[in-house]
Amino acid sequence: VCSSDLKMDGESDLWITPADYAQRVRQFAQALRQADPSIQMGLALSQDTRNGIPITAYPNVRYMDVVLAGALPDVNFVSLHNAYVPFGVDRAYSNDLLYWGGMAGARTVQADLAAARARLDALAPGKNWPLAITEYNALFTLNKGDSDTFINSPTGALVLADLLRVLSSSKDVLMAQHWSLSGNWVFGALRKDASLRPG
């Protein structure tokens, strides 16, 4: 969950603040733990920027800090939404820039993981929180034409391989979910006829 998800377009009656979100996480987690004390729960989070691009709906609030401070006592791991790369979402990019962005994509995920660890360590020193990745894939653009399909190119496969190298060599990464297995427009690892895509 990134703070932009708390202010979805066209759904203003559902908007909540980061502090409200943290309070709801705590209430939900405590209710679940009453039902099953052994349950393992994760807190879904995102930084205020992704690949240097602001994604927050609350620009004057350090979203991650507010949520972590309010919800950390009741969860067992943190789930990050940070592994779509290079994701040129803010404007149109040339194919060359998308390619070079893809080649640096795993480094941006590494940097985001390091920043998340630093914030977690500051708020809960010595805890060594496990990290889960909500979704990952090579994603070049979204709804910007032909470059959307780069995800299914050999270049996309190379970006994905480098990303998997980073995730698999990070000892605190508990799990990572590939988005997605089949069909699903350009995202599926398999086409609808079950043939393999490059990734």
Side-chain angles (χ1 to χ4, degrees), residues 117-172:
R117 289 181 190 110
R119 295 313 311 145
L120 287 163
D121 288 345
L123 289 163
K127 178 72 175 175
N128 297 320
W129 289 89
L131 304 175
I133 308 301
T134 56
E135 302 167 347
Y136 69 85
N137 209 329
L139 179 60
F140 290 82
T141 57
L142 194 59
N143 299 320
K144 291 199 182 327
D146 289 343
S147 55
D148 291 354
T149 65
F150 291 178
I151 191 174
N152 293 316
S153 68
T155 299
L158 186 59
V159 170
L160 187 56
D162 198 30
L163 181 57
L164 287 171
R165 175 191 58 80
V166 166
L167 296 177
S168 64
S169 63
S170 301
K171 293 180 180 177
D172 55 356

Side-chain angles (χ1 to χ4, degrees), residues 43-110:
L43 173 63
L45 275 179
S46 181
Q47 305 260 33
D48 292 327
T49 61
R50 188 169 304 139
N51 297 343
I53 299 167
I55 58 169
T56 183
Y58 294 92
N60 299 318
V61 176
R62 285 199 74 175
Y63 169 72
M64 197 169 183
D65 287 13
V66 170
V67 174
L68 286 172
L72 266 188
D74 298 292
V75 297
N76 305 99
F77 63 91
V78 170
S79 182
L80 300 173
H81 189 71
N82 67 347
Y84 282 120
V85 290
F87 202 15
V89 67
D90 59 331
R91 60 184 174 85
Y93 289 88
S94 70
N95 290 351
D96 284 351
L97 284 175
L98 288 172
Y99 171 82
W100 289 115
M103 295 303 98
R107 290 185 181 187
T108 67
V109 174
Q110 274 183 313

Side-chain angles (χ1 to χ4, degrees), residues 28-41 74-76:
F28 188 73
Q30 289 168 1
L32 284 173
R33 207 167 302 284
Q34 278 186 339
D36 180 0
S38 68
I39 197 167
Q40 298 288 302
M41 288 177 283
D74 298 292
V75 297
N76 305 99

